[in-house]
Amino acid sequence: MLIMPLWKRTTIVLIALWGIAAAMPNMFYARVEAHNDAQAIAEEGGAADPAALAAWPSFLPSNLMNLGLDLRGGAHLLAEVQVADAYAQRMDSLWPEVRDALRDLREQTGAIKREPSNPDVLRVGLSKPEGMPAALEAVRGLTNSVVTLTGAGQSDLDITSEGNTIVIQLSDAEKSATDARTLQQSLEIIRRRVDEVGTREPTIQRQGNDRILIQVPGLGSAAELKAIIGTTAKLTFNPVVSITSNASADPGPRNKLVPDIKGDGTYYIIEETPVVGGEDLTDAQPAFDQNGQPAVNFRFDPSGGRAFGDYTGENIGKPFAIVLDDQVISAPTIQAHITGGSGIITGNFTIEESTQLAVLLRAGALPAKMTFLEERTIGPELGADSIAAGRTAAVIGMIAVVVYMIACYGAFGVMANIALAINIALLLAVLSTIGATMTLPGIAGIVLTMGMAVDANVLIYERIREELREGKAPARAIELGFERAFSSIMDSNVTAIITAIIMFWIGSGPVRGFAISLGIGIFTSMFTAVYVTRLIITLWLNARRPARIIV
């Protein structure tokens, strides 16, 4: 007779029952997914479909595994970030600081002006060359140390002189740091924009030095994904120099000509350097203006709010332009000093347009433009084919394992197969609970787990056979079989866990999906092989009390 404490038997049974219940929603994926979507709408106060809410009992678990791009279909983009754009933006923002730093040196430097140059270089001309040493000293006071481990101690700016011109550009260390920041900022902004539209489990990751991979399961097309993330959504507030209907008008130095977003032939000549930019926005929400028309409320951070308030206080009665992606969406006249760092963007918006604009502004402006090198739309029918193929592979693998175990171990093989079924249920339950994304490699990990699960049973059963051959009683042979096989099972699974951790750490995308399925499967297979199988054998042995057993 084998003895197993009641608390241990109860715990094993409860865990097995939880696994079966938590894995069950995946057998009714479409129904449960519709129920979850309707429930989310209801929780937000919307009008949910009663039929969808009733499609799945609310007292049952409803967590699902998220299906990856290869199973669900969706959109795939590979984008290249134009990191050099960030250099030009840095030079544009540096010019007012340089101008202010040289303001008190006018007697030595004479008049100063920004000279034409490449976008990533700032050239400042002096009318009095003899003031160059003092000017260089003043401008070098604007430098900072590069804040990276590799560039620590180096200056972020290279400042030199050519005749009566100061030449300023980013140092190599700062360019490297800027590239890293630009990529990271782009990743975060893209992730926020995609999350705003409610897609499930997108894959957004860096590839190489200047590329980003974006995969969004369940999205209709690559064009739809580009519409969400493709625009830089660059918002600026610029002083208006003049308004014209001439599309080829010369804007003059340090100015630019931009059209009205309405496309009515109106063009604005605005100063190139903005008063404040979208990067200073902290919030943007769709709203309605005083006339009941769709608009967007916005709020700046403290520094942006001060700059905006100072400008409006000094330019009452003058127009200024709200520019989005080089198009003027509104050009109101400043009526009063605007304090508090908040305002409203009005225009001929529809409700959908104001909502989309608020999403883009709230997510932030991309720090640089992106070029799409690769775009694919994977239809749901391809995903359905992949699911069917994966299901077929899993069923074939399951049947092969079941037949082998029964052929080799008879009744004990049946017990191992019951434990194997519980193992698969537990694996699916854990994947659903943590919201893991299932891909084709993940299915391969599940199929591999089946073999690993019965491998532990094979070790146990072979050890029991050895004990029986030495003349041990059935109960004692079973007890020793489990005890002495445990070290071998532990050793093999520890090495497999280390392999899964390494794959997850250095891998990406599909490799990580395989590593997650494999890693979780190792723990569930150990539990079912060592504990569930032992519980089944214990119950059988204590009920039948056979004089001899055949393993």
Side-chain angles (χ1 to χ4, degrees):
M1 182 176 179
L2 290 175
I3 298 176
M4 181 178 287
L6 178 61
W7 69 267
K8 184 178 290 188
R9 284 182 286 172
T10 303
T11 302
I12 294 171
V13 170
L14 289 177
I15 293 175
L17 291 176
W18 170 81
I20 295 170
M24 190 184 305
N26 294 284
M27 304 297 294
F28 309 93
Y29 201 95
R31 183 189 303 178
V32 178
E33 186 177 49
H35 165 80
N36 291 346
D37 292 342
Q39 190 172 43
I41 293 173
E43 290 174 355
E44 293 175 358
D49 182 4
L53 283 172
W56 186 254
S58 58
F59 60 86
L60 289 178
S62 59
N63 291 325
L64 293 170
M65 290 186 297
N66 297 298
L67 299 181
L69 193 67
D70 51 358
L71 298 180
R72 191 182 187 91
H76 165 103
L77 292 177
L78 180 62
E80 182 179 47
V81 180
Q82 306 299 317
V83 292
D85 288 354
Y87 308 161
Q89 293 176 17
R90 179 72 177 278
M91 292 299 102
D92 284 339
S93 64
L94 187 62
W95 162 236
E97 296 181 40
V98 173
R99 183 180 56 200
D100 292 343
L102 299 177
R103 180 176 291 129
D104 296 335
L105 302 176
R106 290 294 176 87
E107 292 185 1
Q108 302 176 55
T109 63
I112 62 170
K113 66 176 181 177
R114 183 173 181 179
E115 297 180 347
S117 64
N118 292 330
D120 59 344
V121 177
L122 175 61
R123 298 176 64 90
V124 181
L126 312 180
S127 61
K128 295 181 178 179
E130 59 271 18
M132 181 61 70
L136 285 174
E137 183 179 355
V139 174
R140 284 173 179 150
L142 301 174
T143 61
N144 296 293
S145 296
V146 178
V147 286
T148 63
L149 292 177
T150 56
Q154 300 183 51
S155 173
D156 61 341
L157 299 175
D158 283 339
I159 303 173
T160 58
S161 61
E162 294 179 1
N164 64 338
T165 301
I166 301 173
V167 181
I168 308 171
Q169 55 187 331
L170 299 181
S171 65
D172 291 339
E174 179 63 14
K175 285 182 178 180
S176 178
T178 300
D179 291 350
R181 288 195 300 268
T182 301
L183 261 292
Q184 186 61 36
Q185 185 180 353
S186 297
L187 280 169
E188 293 304 319
I189 290 171
I190 290 171
R191 182 172 289 110
R192 288 201 300 269
R193 291 186 183 180
V194 172
D195 288 345
E196 285 276 0
V197 297
T199 55
R200 295 181 176 86
E201 293 301 316
T203 297
I204 303 169
Q205 60 192 26
R206 177 175 176 173
Q207 284 199 344
N209 295 326
D210 58 358
R211 295 182 180 182
I212 297 176
L213 174 68
I214 309 128
Q215 294 180 332
V216 183
L219 203 62
S221 67
E224 184 179 348
L225 180 56
K226 287 172 66 177
I228 295 171
I229 66 173
T231 176
T232 59
K234 184 176 181 180
L235 180 75
T236 57
F237 294 77
N238 301 65
V240 175
V241 177
S242 63
I243 303 174
T244 180
S245 58
N246 183 4
S248 58
D250 180 13
R254 312 312 306 168
N255 295 331
K256 61 181 179 179
L257 182 70
V258 293
D260 191 288
I261 198 170
K262 295 188 291 290
D264 58 0
T266 302
Y267 291 84
Y268 295 83
I269 296 176
I270 62 174
E271 292 185 13
E272 200 169 65
T273 302
V275 175
V276 66
E279 64 274 8
D280 296 310
L281 278 174
T282 59
D283 192 25
Q285 297 291 340
F288 293 92
D289 62 15
Q290 65 272 22
N291 298 318
Q293 298 301 311
V296 176
N297 281 330
F298 64 88
R299 185 170 67 251
F300 289 118
D301 61 18
S303 63
R306 284 193 299 271
F308 188 64
D310 291 344
Y311 176 79
T312 56
E314 296 170 359
N315 293 273
I316 294 175
K318 298 180 181 179
F320 75 104
I322 304 173
V323 184
L324 178 69
D325 291 338
D326 287 332
Q327 289 184 308
V328 175
I329 58 176
S330 182
T333 298
I334 300 171
Q335 303 293 341
H337 182 198
I338 302 175
T339 58
S342 62
I344 187 169
I345 300 174
T346 59
N348 293 325
F349 301 134
T350 64
I351 293 177
E352 291 78 12
E353 288 171 344
S354 66
T355 301
Q356 180 72 0
L357 176 59
V359 166
L360 292 174
L361 298 180
R362 190 163 59 247
L366 286 169
K369 292 182 179 179
M370 293 192 304
T371 302
F372 295 103
L373 306 177
E374 180 182 331
E375 55 183 270
R376 294 199 306 269
T377 300
I378 301 174
E381 66 279 357
L382 295 177
D385 292 343
S386 298
I387 293 174
R391 185 185 296 118
T392 300
V395 169
I396 292 174
M398 175 75 81
I399 292 174
V401 169
V402 167
V403 171
Y404 174 82
M405 292 300 293
I406 293 176
C408 291
Y409 301 105
F412 280 80
V414 174
M415 298 177 195
N417 290 332
I418 294 173
L420 174 61
I422 295 174
N423 174 41
I424 299 302
L426 285 172
L427 174 55
L428 297 179
V430 175
L431 290 172
S432 301
T433 301
I434 66 176
T437 299
M438 179 55 59
T439 61
L440 280 176
I443 293 177
I446 293 176
V447 175
L448 180 60
T449 298
M450 296 179 189
M452 296 179 62
V454 295
D455 179 61
N457 287 117
V458 169
L459 290 174
I460 293 170
Y461 290 167
E462 290 301 322
R463 189 67 196 185
I464 292 175
R465 280 180 174 176
E466 291 181 11
E467 300 298 333
L468 289 172
R469 282 195 291 268
E470 292 179 4
K472 300 289 195 307
R476 183 58 177 166
I478 292 172
E479 185 176 10
L480 291 175
F482 275 94
E483 289 178 0
R484 294 176 178 177
F486 184 79
S487 61
S488 298
I489 295 172
M490 178 62 71
D491 290 344
S492 63
N493 283 297
V494 166
T495 56
I497 280 289
I498 293 172
T499 302
I501 291 173
I502 293 173
M503 284 193 296
F504 183 83
W505 182 30
I506 67 176
S508 62
V511 175
R512 283 192 164 191
F514 177 80
I516 290 173
S517 296
L518 178 62
I520 295 173
I522 290 169
F523 286 103
T524 58
S525 64
M526 278 196 64
F527 172 77
T528 53
V530 175
Y531 295 103
V532 175
T533 304
R534 183 164 185 167
L535 174 61
I536 296 172
I537 293 176
T538 297
L539 295 175
W540 172 81
L541 187 70
N542 292 341
R544 298 289 299 273
R545 297 179 183 275
R548 59 188 296 270
I549 58 174
I550 299 175
V551 179

